[in-house]
Amino acid sequence: MELHFNPGTVIEVALRQIAAMNNAFSEDFEPEVRPADPKFGDFQANGVLGFAKSKGANPRALAQQLLEAAQESGQFDPARVELSLAGPGFINFKCTPRYLWDWLNRYADASDFQTGAGKLQAGRKVVIDYPSANTAKQAHIGHLRPMVIGEAIARLLDFCGAETLRDNHIGDWGTNFGTLIMQIKREGIDLNQLVTDPLAQLDQLYKDGSALEKDAPEIRDQSRAELLKLQEGDPENTALWERIVDISKAAFETLYQQMGVRIDVTLGESFYRDKVERVYRELTEDGFAESSEGALVVWHDDVKKFARDNERPYPFNIRKKDGASNYASTDLATILYRVEHYKADEVVYLTDARQQDHFQQLFLTTQKWFAARKYPIPDTRHVWWGTILGKDKKPFKTKSGESIKLQALLDEACERAFTVVTEKNPELPESERRTIAESVGIGALKYADLSSNRTQDYVFDWDRMLSFEGNTAPYLLYAVARINSIFRKAELDPEAPLEGASLLETDTEFALARKLISLPSALNLTLNDLRPHVLCTYLYELAGAYSTFYNADKVMVDDPGTRTRRLLLCARTRTVLITGLKLLGIQPLERM
RNA sequence: GUGGGCGUAGCUCAGCUGGAUAGAGCAUCGGUUUUCUAAACCGACGGUCGGGGGUUCGAGUCCCUCCGCCCAUGCCA
């Protein structure tokens, strides 16, 4: 068996090939190789069971046949992997100590992992639409998930070889500008005079404005008129708008830096304002768009929910009845631009769960439109997530019921982490405790967001996320810090090559080694549905296997062979943990 | 009404798309340190997987049917 980054893939490819040449199987046989429970082996193939069922064959006999064919093929060197038949027809694969050891020596540092993982998405151009913040509003807790999940997914795709473009599709052209400009004019505000926290003041102006609109239709009309003037290029409104956007960008930049969010381009909705006409024209010409109640809409009769004869009409509204564009218009113009200008093979959108209908309609419309025009059709993916809940299981808010400001959340995370660090490690200088607290605090916040399945709501709990027990950032960071400490005391570079190690011996060493070689499986699985919690679970299990090993097997023993092999396990664990944490956007620490 | 998500241990969550005896952490109880960071480790306790039916060698996972919660549902994004 080849010494590949992902042994599971090698097994799968080999089995598929062997089955294809065997009379008892057919081309469509899927081996279904996956990591196994350690008590059975390292990998298992479950595919025979399903296959036997579909053919009405005896699964165990069939599995026996495949196993023998595999052994005869010469593709499974007994010195590297042991095959066995189990239960109703599972085939188990157990890597030999030799193989584990060779793998650990072959895949030694971050660049080895990068090379191995880099084949997964090689050559793909992926545009990632995030964090797509609003303009003229302060960032609040609702902006946490797009920043955290978006950054993690972007890093993951980068790591796996994709050529990514992080496109910050800001909402700088929405209806809210009508309201905001209306209110600015009403109050006679000079935007250049706003000094302290200008974004907060814009936020307030908007709130006041929309409060007024609530029970005054004439004010609502006024706002709509201001919006239309802006969209038609009125110089006064354009100048106001530019200033608002600048204020917003500057404020968000500070947050992006703290959050470790990296952006390649910021092309907001305004960028597409002269590109929506083409969308209207092409969709109308091709017969996809038509007028309905004064608006321009697209019906999708092939999907019940969006069909025109549905009991509750739910068209894709691409131009409002007042002639103004909306987010459907700009999203259509945007995807065209991403394909034509950036040659995107895939576009990944990151938003919360509530926008699923919109993206379903957007994707349907894009496919039909692009097919009709013979434009390249990109893969599209909507990566969505649930709500952050308080302990009462309702959306997490302040006691007075307002949304929590993101900056306040970050500050509290760092402050709480600082208290903990000071409690545990009072002898460290304050500046270092502050640095540690920032990594631990922000890291804990991010990890809490990433470690549960993103499609579900999760309960926000400071104490749990900052705990050193359980599936948390501090637990993982602590594991890294302990490894660093060993190398520091031994006066060794954890990234330097290690020579003269003896072969693995104890159960805890083996358990750790087996966990290490399952990194590629974890990456694969994470990438499948872009679910970072899969990677989190893996890292947590790895840190757990390390802690068990650390407690059971002393590293700095006298015997040089034993010492070196344990140091090697420490070094590998460290590299994998650091690599994983960085993929999640969490900064590892030398000590804590 | 329709569509989406969900219901797993007292609490917070996993469960790799139908696989082997349903797993972690917290909490509770008990144990481990002259040893590299005990911010750790080990063990015990804890489950009619919302209820009921079905499909099959096999169901937390798929189908049907109820119960309950969250979200979306024509011009905000």
Side-chain angles (χ1 to χ4, degrees):
Chain A
M1 187 167 73
E2 182 197 345
L3 197 63
H4 188 273
F5 180 56
N6 190 347
T9 305
V10 179
I11 293 170
E12 186 156 63
V13 169
L15 285 183
R16 206 177 284 133
Q17 190 192 336
I18 290 158
M21 297 189 305
N22 191 298
N23 293 334
F25 291 86
S26 55
E27 295 274 329
D28 60 338
F29 172 72
E30 268 306 317
E32 291 179 35
V33 174
R34 59 190 58 169
D37 186 316
K39 65 190 167 210
F40 300 125
D42 293 298
F43 297 94
Q44 58 177 309
N46 298 344
V48 176
L49 290 152
F51 183 80
K53 185 178 190 169
S54 69
K55 305 287 174 192
N58 179 332
R60 187 153 172 117
L62 211 54
Q64 179 67 35
Q65 206 171 331
L66 184 62
L67 190 152
E68 281 166 14
Q71 280 166 334
E72 283 163 17
S73 73
Q75 294 204 56
F76 295 95
D77 181 355
R80 291 185 144 175
V81 62
E82 292 165 14
L83 279 62
S84 60
L85 184 62
F90 300 107
I91 301 176
N92 291 328
F93 300 81
K94 194 174 178 88
C95 297
T96 62
R98 184 76 248 171
Y99 186 87
L100 289 172
W101 193 241
D102 289 346
W103 193 93
L104 290 174
N105 281 288
R106 167 65 186 81
Y107 295 97
D109 59 29
S111 72
D112 293 331
F113 294 150
Q114 170 88 69
T115 309
K119 290 169 189 153
L120 293 171
Q121 293 277 311
R124 278 177 81 74
K125 173 87 184 207
V126 183
V127 172
I128 306 167
D129 187 317
Y130 97 103
S132 313
N134 292 333
T135 309
K137 278 171 99 171
Q138 291 178 93
H140 52 83
I141 191 164
H143 294 93
L144 182 68
R145 305 206 77 181
M147 289 191 196
V148 173
I149 296 173
E151 185 61 28
I153 284 175
R155 289 182 186 213
L156 191 73
L157 289 170
D158 275 337
F159 187 75
C160 293
E163 187 193 338
T164 60
L165 184 85
R166 299 127 185 263
D167 185 356
N168 190 14
H169 191 69
I170 55 174
D172 59 356
W173 204 244
T175 314
N176 58 325
F177 282 93
T179 304
L180 192 53
I181 291 171
M182 178 277 295
Q183 187 64 10
I184 287 168
K185 288 184 176 176
R186 264 179 74 94
E187 292 196 18
I189 305 281
D190 179 356
L191 291 182
N192 293 312
Q193 297 299 312
L194 303 179
V195 185
T196 54
D197 206 347
L199 187 57
Q201 300 190 47
L202 288 179
D203 209 335
Q204 192 57 48
L205 282 165
Y206 175 77
K207 273 183 197 147
D208 294 345
S210 37
L212 284 175
E213 285 175 357
K214 254 195 169 152
D215 27 41
E218 70 278 10
I219 291 192
R220 215 153 43 222
D221 290 343
Q222 216 174 312
S223 298
R224 251 197 289 272
E226 296 292 0
L227 177 68
L228 204 58
K229 272 171 75 181
L230 173 65
Q231 294 191 333
E232 283 167 351
D234 171 74
E236 188 191 4
N237 281 12
T238 302
L240 282 172
W241 167 76
E242 278 174 355
R243 185 71 196 116
I244 294 166
V245 171
D246 285 347
I247 288 170
S248 304
K249 278 186 182 167
F252 269 90
E253 189 50 44
T254 312
L255 282 168
Y256 293 153
Q257 249 163 35
Q258 279 181 81
M259 293 291 292
V261 168
R262 209 193 79 213
I263 285 161
D264 296 313
V265 289
T266 298
L267 296 178
E269 291 168 347
S270 67
F271 176 79
Y272 297 96
R273 62 184 184 266
D274 61 352
K275 298 177 176 59
V276 293
E277 282 304 326
R278 177 175 165 197
V279 175
Y280 305 147
R281 195 189 70 238
E282 294 193 359
L283 284 171
T284 306
E285 279 175 10
D286 294 346
F288 297 122
E290 62 189 66
S291 40
S292 169
E293 297 176 19
L296 189 65
V297 307
V298 178
W299 299 99
H300 291 287
D301 291 323
D302 46 336
V303 176
K304 203 194 295 173
K305 189 179 186 179
F306 306 130
R308 77 189 68 215
D309 58 2
N310 195 38
E311 49 187 310
R312 292 200 190 190
Y314 197 2
F316 193 41
N317 191 338
I318 65 169
R319 189 180 63 203
K320 298 196 280 183
K321 66 179 172 192
D322 63 5
S325 62
N326 62 8
Y327 75 130
S329 339
T330 48
D331 272 356
L332 286 165
T334 303
I335 193 165
L336 180 61
Y337 185 80
R338 286 172 176 163
V339 167
E340 289 190 333
H341 187 264
Y342 291 118
K343 312 290 180 214
D345 298 304
E346 179 171 5
V347 184
V348 178
Y349 295 86
L350 290 118
T351 80
D352 68 58
R354 293 173 301 185
Q355 296 183 43
Q356 288 175 93
D357 291 342
H358 168 73
F359 284 101
Q360 207 185 334
Q361 289 174 311
L362 175 67
F363 297 165
L364 281 165
T365 307
T366 302
Q367 279 156 18
K368 293 175 187 173
W369 170 31
F370 282 20
R373 294 270 162 177
K374 302 211 172 6
Y375 300 152
I377 301 174
D379 291 336
T380 48
R381 200 144 36 155
H382 180 212
V383 172
W384 52 273
W385 52 78
T387 311
I388 303 176
L389 306 175
K391 282 186 179 168
D392 57 0
K393 298 278 188 134
K394 292 189 177 140
F396 193 40
K397 296 211 159 111
T398 60
K399 280 173 192 160
S400 56
E402 291 182 359
S403 68
I404 298 161
K405 299 282 176 289
L406 185 52
Q407 188 62 62
L409 201 69
L410 299 184
D411 292 346
E412 185 166 356
C414 295
E415 207 43 56
R416 282 174 182 266
F418 182 75
T419 307
V420 178
V421 173
T422 302
E423 197 178 294
K424 306 290 185 190
N425 246 338
E427 71 279 4
L428 290 175
E430 175 167 348
S431 63
E432 185 171 354
R433 277 182 282 139
R434 288 280 171 204
T435 310
I436 293 170
E438 181 154 346
S439 172
V440 172
I442 307 274
L445 200 58
K446 289 182 175 178
Y447 195 85
D449 204 83
L450 293 166
S451 59
S452 69
N453 194 338
R454 63 175 165 75
T455 58
Q456 272 176 268
D457 298 346
Y458 77 91
V459 176
F460 191 95
D461 183 340
W462 283 118
D463 292 334
R464 190 154 34 86
M465 74 175 75
L466 283 163
S467 167
F468 287 76
E469 296 163 35
N471 190 7
T472 67
Y475 180 76
L476 297 180
L477 291 168
Y478 178 58
V480 175
R482 288 165 107 191
I483 298 172
N484 287 335
S485 175
I486 291 175
F487 283 94
R488 207 165 45 237
K489 290 222 162 138
E491 297 183 349
L492 291 167
D493 175 2
E495 304 193 357
L498 290 158
E499 302 290 343
S502 53
L503 287 174
L504 298 171
E505 210 170 77
T506 68
D507 289 347
T508 40
E509 288 170 3
F510 276 113
L512 179 55
R514 292 184 192 287
K515 204 36 112 176
L516 285 166
I517 73 159
S518 61
L519 166 70
S521 300
L523 281 176
N524 252 333
L525 211 54
T526 307
L527 207 57
N528 245 344
D529 295 318
L530 300 181
R531 289 182 304 170
H533 84 280
V534 175
L535 179 59
C536 293
T537 303
Y538 167 74
L539 293 175
Y540 174 56
E541 287 169 359
L542 175 64
Y546 177 76
S547 293
T548 303
F549 155 78
Y550 176 92
N551 267 66
D553 300 327
K554 187 171 163 60
V555 176
M556 296 309 287
V557 291
D558 291 335
D559 177 61
T562 305
R563 189 174 64 229
T564 309
R565 88 168 175 263
R566 289 183 181 166
L567 278 168
L568 188 139
L569 286 170
C570 288
R572 295 298 179 270
T573 304
R574 179 182 173 278
T575 305
V576 173
L577 286 175
I578 288 177
T579 303
L581 284 167
K582 283 185 177 166
L583 284 176
L584 298 173
I586 295 169
Q587 188 54 47
L589 292 160
E590 173 58 28
R591 60 177 176 173
M592 60 190 285

